[in-house]
Each structure stands twice: as structure tokens, then as C-alpha cells.
Amino acid sequence: SLQRSVQRPALSIPNGERDRKRRPREGRETPSSSGRRRPEGVSSARKLGFAVRFLTNITGRGPDSIAADLQGQGFAIEGHEIQTATTACVEYLTSRPGITCHLVVPPAIRSMFDGIAIDDQTPEVVVSSDIGEQSNYQVLNRAFLMLRAGAELVAPQKGLFWFDHEGPKLDCGSFIVGLEAATGKEAIVTGKPAEHFFQRALAHVGC
């Protein structure tokens, strides 16, 4: 069964100079030390007979969209080879046939949950992901009341903050921690660092 995981930041909230030195949000490419990307590594791994799987906690985009970006940078990666925190969440929910869910997810990935039964009144599970500026009191309080009524809390990931070109921004984990504190429940995390996330990746490559 999927273990509950309480994710804490690996580092304290940075400030000043450390803000600028923090690495980009996961899923954003970093050039090699020579200043050039090295897409040939993926092809080399395949030529050596390795099955490949690419893991990310990105929740705002689906695997095909991520793959298209990487292909544009010269990486021969297909959508089915990318495992995101959201694909892991969908797999987890699918493993529980008939489960009913209330989704707090961005519109761009809503279709990934098409096979999941939706109940926006008395769901068995509240799925809380990063919806950015759509997060507000009404959204959070509705989820809070559903959890108080007995629903489980499932989170693709629990990152507390991330970075874009403007600097640090709150991530969904900040709100999930609040829901946990208010309800006394721990979220079931389907992305990193949950053990299940890596087990699924290993299973997909035949290990």
C-alpha cells in the first residue's frame, strides 16, 4: 500500500545571495559545465540496452507536453517514458476501483483524471495539487470541510516553494501542510520522495 509521507524542505528557506544560487525548479534544464546540453547520453543508454524512465515532480503539465519540450532541445524522449507526480497519483487512484474524488488540480492536467469518479459533495479522497493563483480561501475551505467529513488527502507532491524568473513562489505543499494541521490528517504523497514513486518507475523498466 502507498505509504503516507510528510515531506519537509531539505534546506531552510533561502534569502539574499542563496536565492540566486538555488538550482532551478525541477524539470527545468541546466546546461552542462561546458555550457552545452548533452542529449546524446539518453541515446547512449538505449544503445547499451538500458530501459529508461525520467522522473519529475512537475504537476502543472502532462508527460507529452514535457517530452515535446525536451525533444525541441534535442533529447529523444517520449511521453510514455516520463513519470510525473501526477501520473503516479492517477495510477494510485486507479488502483482503488470505484474511489470517488474531489480534484484540486490545474486545468492543463484535468484530463489525466478522466477515468476517476468525481464527487464534489462527499468524496472519499481530496486530491490537492498546485493550482497557482487559483488557490483561494473558498477552494481551501471546501477541501478542509471535505477532509473534516472523512475524506482522505492525496497530494501528487508537497514542495513548499519553487522558483521562476521572478524568484521564489509558494508551492502547493504550503497549503497542504495547512490542511494537515487543521484536520490532523497526513497527506498521501504519490510523487517524490514517496517510496511508491520510485517503485513504480522500477516496475516500468522491468526491475
Side-chain angles (χ1 to χ4, degrees), residues 135-196:
S135 292
N136 56 43
Y137 176 82
Q138 287 77 17
V139 169
L140 293 172
N141 195 59
R142 187 179 189 189
F144 163 72
L145 294 175
M146 290 174 175
L147 296 171
R148 289 258 305 176
E152 300 174 43
L153 178 58
V154 172
Q157 55 98 358
K158 277 180 63 179
L160 299 179
F161 62 96
W162 63 285
F163 289 80
D164 70 2
H165 65 282
E166 296 177 342
K169 293 188 174 182
L170 285 177
D171 206 345
C172 59
S174 299
F175 305 111
I176 292 166
V177 169
L179 289 172
E180 289 179 323
T183 62
K185 298 188 175 186
E186 291 184 5
I188 297 171
V189 179
T190 61
K192 295 184 289 184
E195 180 182 348
H196 174 82

Side-chain angles (χ1 to χ4, degrees), residues 89-170:
C89 181
V90 172
E91 286 188 6
Y92 168 65
L93 296 173
T94 303
S95 74
R96 301 175 62 182
I99 196 81
T100 59
C101 301
H102 170 68
L103 301 179
V104 184
V105 303
I109 63 166
R110 181 85 184 209
S111 63
M112 295 175 64
F113 294 85
D114 281 351
I116 306 300
I118 304 300
D119 184 342
D120 292 325
Q121 300 301 320
T122 56
E124 296 171 272
V125 170
V126 172
V127 178
S128 184
S129 187
D130 180 15
I131 59 172
E133 294 182 1
Q134 296 177 44
S135 292
N136 56 43
Y137 176 82
Q138 287 77 17
V139 169
L140 293 172
N141 195 59
R142 187 179 189 189
F144 163 72
L145 294 175
M146 290 174 175
L147 296 171
R148 289 258 305 176
E152 300 174 43
L153 178 58
V154 172
Q157 55 98 358
K158 277 180 63 179
L160 299 179
F161 62 96
W162 63 285
F163 289 80
D164 70 2
H165 65 282
E166 296 177 342
K169 293 188 174 182
L170 285 177

Side-chain angles (χ1 to χ4, degrees), residues 16-78:
E17 182 65 22
R18 285 186 297 169
D19 268 5
R20 294 189 287 275
K21 292 184 178 180
R22 290 272 298 181
R23 59 180 181 156
R25 187 184 188 185
E26 181 182 336
R28 297 176 186 265
E29 183 123 15
T30 302
S32 68
S33 58
S34 65
R36 295 178 298 173
R37 298 181 178 89
R38 300 194 178 276
E40 66 272 14
V42 177
S43 299
S44 297
R46 288 199 179 93
K47 288 177 181 178
L48 291 172
F50 291 105
V52 294
R53 195 77 173 170
F54 303 91
L55 311 184
T56 175
N57 261 7
I58 290 175
T59 53
R61 302 167 62 193
D64 290 339
S65 172
I66 297 169
D69 254 6
L70 293 172
Q71 289 164 9
Q73 298 176 48
F75 291 86
I77 297 174
E78 300 298 327

